[in-house]
Amino acid sequence: MKALVWHGKEDIRCDTVTDPEIQDPRDAIIKVTSCAICGSDLHLFHNFIPGMLPGDIMGHETMGEVVEVGSGMDGKLKKGDRIVVPFTIICGECDQCKRGNFSVCETTNRKRHLADKAFGHTTAGLFGYTHLTGGYPGGQAEYLRVPFADATHIKVPDGIPDEQLLFLSDIFPTGWQAAAQCDIVPTDTVAIWGCGPVGQMAIRSAILLGANQVIAIDRLPERLSMAEAGGATTINFETESVVDRLNELTDGRGPEKCIDCAGMEAHVMASQPDTVLDRAKQMVMLESDRPHVLREMIYVCRPGGIISVAGVYSGFSDKMPMGAFMNKGLTMRTGQTHVNRWTDDLLRRIEEGEIDPSFVITHTVPLEMGPEMYKVFRDKRDSCVKVVLKP
Amino acid sequence: MFHFSNIVRSEGDPKIIEGGPSLKQPEDQLARALGWFSIGLGAIELFAARRVTETLGMEGKETLVRAFGVREIFSGILSLSVDKNAGLWARVGGDGLDAAALLSGLTADNPKKGNVALALLMVGGIAMLDYRVAQDTKPQRPPPDARRKLYPGRSGFPKGISATRDRAKDAINHIPANVRS
Ligand SMILES: NC(=O)c1ccc[n+]([C@@H]2O[C@H](COP(=O)([O-])OP(=O)(O)OC[C@H]3O[C@@H](n4cnc5c(N)ncnc54)[C@H](O)[C@@H]3O)[C@@H](O)[C@H]2O)c1
Ligand SMILES: [Zn+2]
Ligand SMILES: [Zn+2]
C-alpha cells in the first residue's frame, strides 16, 4: 500500500509499504477513506519531538471502513462498519480508561518503558506519533491497523460525508476539551492563542459552551478571518500588543479563561525577544520548547482564572513566570485529548446540524501529494488552514 | 530492495518495499554539507587557534580566531536546523568578516602571505557557494503583504452564529454549576 513515511527532518515521502496485518485478536484493519495533516505532525516534520525513527508512518486523523477484524472483537466491531479512529489508542478497561482519562490509558503504549523513563509514567499509545507513545504506524496510508479496536473507534452512521466526521478523530474534541476544561460561565471572556485548525475548533466550542466573549489571536489574515466568521473578536499579534488589546477588551481585568492552541513552536519575531532567545536555546538543545504563549497567558489572565493548554509541549520550558502563576491563583489544565470522552456528544451535535466541522478544510488532495502538502501547510502557502488527504 | 529503516520495525508493522521521492532538494543537501563544514572549521578555529595563526603568519590573533570559531559553529548549527536559510545568510556575513580579517594579514612583511592569499581565495569560493545556496533555500512563505484568500463565510454553524449563541447561552443558564465539567 501507499503511505506517508517519515525519513528525517523535513523529509516525508509517499512510499510503498507492506500492508498491515492483524497481530492481535483485538486488532482491526480499516481501509482509509480520508485522513488529515495535523499541527502536531508539523512538530514531527521539524523533528522537534524526540522519538521518531526513519520508516515511521505518519498520521493520526483517520477514518474508513473496517475490512478485517481479529477474533477477540466480542461483536463490538465488524467488517463493513464505518469508523473514525481516535488518535489515542485505548483499552477501555484500565483504571484511567474507566475514569474517562483515555489519553493516559495505562495499557496501550507498547513501548511504555520509554515513556516511564521520559515522563515518569506511561501515557496512551498514539498513532503515527513517536516511539515514546508506542511507535504505532499512522493513518496517512491506504490501510491502518487499529490495535485495541474493540475500544479504539468511533462508529459513525452512513449518510454524513467524511468531511464532517473526520475531525472527531482529533481536532474537534481537542478544541472542545480545551474549552470544556475552562469551566465556562456566561460572563466569561475566553481568549484563544493560535487560529490553526485546533484554535478554530476551540473558538466554536467556546461559543457552543456559552462564553460571553471569545477573543482569538494569530497573525495570519486568512485564519483571523475564519476566526471572526466563527464569532471571535480577533487580535493580530504581529501588528498589535496582545496584552494591551486583551486588557482593553476586558475593561482592564484580563480574560478569565485562556486557551493555548499554538504550542511549542511559537512564532519567532524580534518584537517578542523571548521567542528569539528560546529559538537560540532550542537550537543548542538547552530548551526543547518555545513557551511564549504560556508566559503571555499567565501574565494577562485574570487572577483566579484558568489556563487550558491544548498546544503540544515536548520537554522543557524555561523562564516560566511561576511567581505570577502562583500569586494570581491560576489553574492550569492540560493534556492530549481524551477523545472518546467527548465524541458521543459531539457526533450528536454534528448530526443535529449544530456544527459542521468541515468549515476548516481548505485543501483536499490525493495521498500521493501529501509530502508536498506538509510544506504548504507549514509555510502557510495558498491560505492553507487544513489539509485532507484521500488515499 | 533493502531499506535500512526496516531493521527497527516491530514485527508485523508495515515495512518499506519501494521508496518514494524525497522532499529534499539538491540545495537542501548542499546546505547540510555547508552546515557540517562550518561546524568542522569552527571546531578547528576554536581548539587549534594557534595552528591557524601560525599557518597564516598572524600570531597574536588567537582570540579573534577563537571568536570566529564560535561564530562558525553557531551558523553551522543554524544551517542544519529548520531555519537553514538564516544559517546560510549568517555564513555569507561570516565570509565577509573572514575576508576582512585575512586582508589585514596580507602585508608585504608577512612571510606566510602566500598562505593568506590561498585562504582568501578559498573564502571567496565558499562565499559564492554560500550565497547561491542561501538564494536557493529561501523559505517559500508568502511575503507579509501577499494577497490572501479570506474565509469570512466559514462560521461552521449551519444555523447561523447568532442563533447558535442564543441557544448556547440558554443551555448554559439551565445547567447547575456543579455538573458543568
Ligand atoms: N492536546 C492535543 O491532544 C492536541 C491535538 C491536536 C493538536 N494539538 C496541538 O495543538 C497545536 C495547534 O495545532 P494546529 O493543528 O492548529 O496547528 P497550526 O500550526 O496550524 O496552528 C498553530 C497556530 O498558532 C499560531 N501562533 C504561533 N505563535 C503564536 C503566538 N505567539 N500567539 C498566537 N498564535 C500563535 C500560528 O500562526 C498558527 O496559526 C499544536 O501544538 C498541536 O500539536 C494538540
Ligand atoms: Zn493531532
Ligand atoms: Zn486503558
Side-chain angles (χ1 to χ4, degrees), chain A residues 6-40:
Chain A
W6 192 92
H7 283 269
K9 179 167 62 66
E10 296 179 289
D11 192 3
I12 283 170
R13 305 178 194 169
C14 184
D15 291 342
T16 308
V17 303
T18 52
D19 288 346
E21 292 160 14
I22 298 277
Q23 296 179 26
D24 183 275
R26 293 178 72 179
D27 284 357
I29 309 266
I30 66 163
K31 182 176 181 356
V32 177
T33 52
S34 300
C35 54
I37 305 178
C38 175
S40 303

Side-chain angles (χ1 to χ4, degrees), chain A residues 39-40 43 87 170 174 194 196-198 218 223 261-262 267 310 312 335-337:
Chain A
S40 303
H43 303 320
F87 77 96
D170 178 354
T174 295
V198 172
D218 206 302
R223 294 182 178 208
C261 296
H267 187 63
V312 161
Q336 298 282 3
T337 304

